[in-house]
Amino acid sequence: MRFVVLGAGRIGLSHVGTLKAQSGVTDLLIADLDPARAAAAAASVGSESATIDDAFASKPDGIVIAAPTSAHAELIVRAVRAGIPTFCEKPLAESLASSIALVEEVERRDVPVQIGFQRRFDAGYVEAKRALQAGDIGELRRMHLLTCDPTPPPAQYVPTSGGIYRDCHIHDFDILRWVTGREVATVFATGANRGAPFFADAGDVDESAALLTLDDGTLVTVQGSRYNGAGYDVRMELAGSLGNRSVGLDERVPLTSAEPGVSFPTESAWPNFQERFAPAYAAELARFVAVAAGETASPCTPRDALEALFIAEAAELSRAEGRPVRLDEVKR
Ligand SMILES: NC(=O)c1ccc[n+]([C@@H]2O[C@H](COP(=O)([O-])OP(=O)(O)OC[C@H]3O[C@@H](n4cnc5c(N)ncnc54)[C@H](O)[C@@H]3O)[C@@H](O)[C@H]2O)c1
């Protein structure tokens, strides 16, 4: 099968290598607004590069969109109108209005679209969901999610990213819905500017904390940082009436115990998302190859991504106004 990757930046380059290794992928064409980036990415895996127009005209079996968030809506619409099965990185789009319009457009057509929430394919999150649904941890009483980058993204990434809640915590918001099967009722979020001025200049923050209440009353805390010096730290804790599960608590977790005699963890900390989630990216793209082949349905639809975006919107509104926000205030 022939695939196109649009956008050869941080995640695009990672997806190019992952797709190239998929057995169902025979041809890979790479396009980027910057032709030199496309050519370099193509050369790194022995593929071809093309302009964006030529990539669409090649009528591939599937398109993988890894362009900036601000370009997602336009590229997804172009792909589905051409009838091409599409994978697009999270979040769905830069604004809520364009995301809603996009979902309506996609749902009018019979073309599969998969959004890149790779945690749904990570072994730890899969096991936590299984354990909760099987009753192994009893009734869920509390949940904590953490997404911390060791270093901030490039300055030019931030203004079109949508801000830390839409860009980063959107992963936490998607996975908490997926793991619990519940909806968020209220969000009380805040943030701080402790780092580079380009975060504040873009109206964004580099430290974040939010308290969410689920529709059954479960309390959930979410915390994030763009400056987690210890390493790339993505974890989720579920605690119930019978037990708990901790996702990301492995030998590479960037934690140091203050207790005497404790040597855990024993290996070097996860440095970045590319390494931490490499198996999950491979599994989600393997699934997309199957989606594009018509063998299976999209495991993460634009509608799912919109639900996660509603939570991010509520978080941004809460942060701006300094008050708890009900989800029905932002849902349309
Ligand atoms: N799932 C994840 O873990 C994950 C991780 C990182 C980024 N992302 C998402 O992936 C997207 C890209 O992020 P990134 O960090 O790779 O950004 P990046 O800035 O490193 O790369 C984006 C690339 O897209 C190119 N580009 C810009 N406009 C384009 C267009 N219209 N068509 C084709 N290419 C275009 C740029 O020249 C650049 O090479 C963002 O939406 C981000 O939220 C997801």
Side-chain angles (χ1 to χ4, degrees), residues 257-273:
S257 175
E259 300 300 333
V262 176
S263 56
F264 173 85
T266 54
E267 294 175 28
S268 59
W270 293 109
N272 51 41
F273 58 82

Side-chain angles (χ1 to χ4, degrees), residues 9-11 32 37 52 67-69 72 89-90 118 157 281:
R10 295 185 308 163
I11 195 76
D32 193 294
R37 274 197 179 190
I52 292 166
T69 299
H72 289 180
E89 265 310 329
K90 47 51 65 177
Q118 81 278 358
Y157 177 88
Y281 293 131

Side-chain angles (χ1 to χ4, degrees), residues 197-236:
F198 58 73
F199 285 103
D201 292 347
D204 196 5
V205 291
D206 46 82
E207 302 289 336
S208 49
L211 172 62
L212 282 56
T213 308
L214 303 189
D215 56 7
D216 65 348
T218 304
L219 296 178
V220 179
T221 49
V222 177
Q223 206 161 5
S225 175
R226 297 294 198 180
Y227 288 89
N228 194 59
Y232 184 65
D233 197 2
V234 173
R235 283 180 285 130
M236 180 185 75

Side-chain angles (χ1 to χ4, degrees), residues 9-12 37 66-70 72 89-91 94 149 151-164 166-171 198-199 202 204 226 273:
R10 295 185 308 163
I11 195 76
R37 274 197 179 190
T69 299
S70 51
H72 289 180
E89 265 310 329
K90 47 51 65 177
E94 204 177 5
D149 293 327
T151 52
Q156 68 271 19
Y157 177 88
V158 173
T160 60
S161 70
I164 199 164
R166 296 187 192 90
D167 178 57
C168 187
H169 293 304
I170 195 97
H171 282 293
F198 58 73
F199 285 103
D204 196 5
R226 297 294 198 180
F273 58 82

